[in-house]
Amino acid sequence: NNTGTVNVLVYFTPAGSNASTVVAVLPVTVRPARAISSLTLDKSSDVISTESGNGFNETTFKVTLKDQLGDLIAGDIEITSNLKTLPNGATAAPVVSAVEGADGEYTFTVTGSRENLPTGATGYAYSFTVKAGTLTKAFNVTVKKPTLDKNNNLIISGYKIEFSGDEDLKTTD
């Protein structure tokens, strides 16, 4: 992995002569092999519901890999849970999907369920790590049991979800 600048000498030898003359010097920059030098996640945390349906129980993360020149680069991505044991009463951790994508842009989905909550808890934060090459990034997913406000509107992650007949889904703070 030598890096630096090399000068290439360009010679001219006239026909019938054994004498060569340098007519140009061309500098060539030698760079190291491409390597993953940047791993970014589009978000470091999210909150999902224990209840399936309407996509509230899953979240998608985007991973971007770049090389030392800032260009997208393909690489292997590994996602691991930082959980050593399940919390008391939980029977499963959130499920992480297979990583999809190519050429430096990837996505994966984390899905929650009722089995993720400890006994008596209304929410629990799970910690994960994304690794590509020697680089790592941590992210958290909090799985929450939905609650109802005084008007029986579903509340997930600070947003109130209002349903009324066949109307479109609306969110309000």
Side-chain angles (χ1 to χ4, degrees), residues 78-87 92-96 110 124-131 137 139-141:
E78 179 183 338
I79 302 166
T80 56
S81 170
N82 296 332
L83 185 67
K84 302 294 183 227
T85 60
L86 285 171
V95 176
V96 178
V110 180
Y124 192 82
Y126 287 87
S127 176
F128 298 87
T129 300
V130 176
K131 180 179 180 183
K137 289 279 185 187
F139 68 94
N140 296 307
V141 174

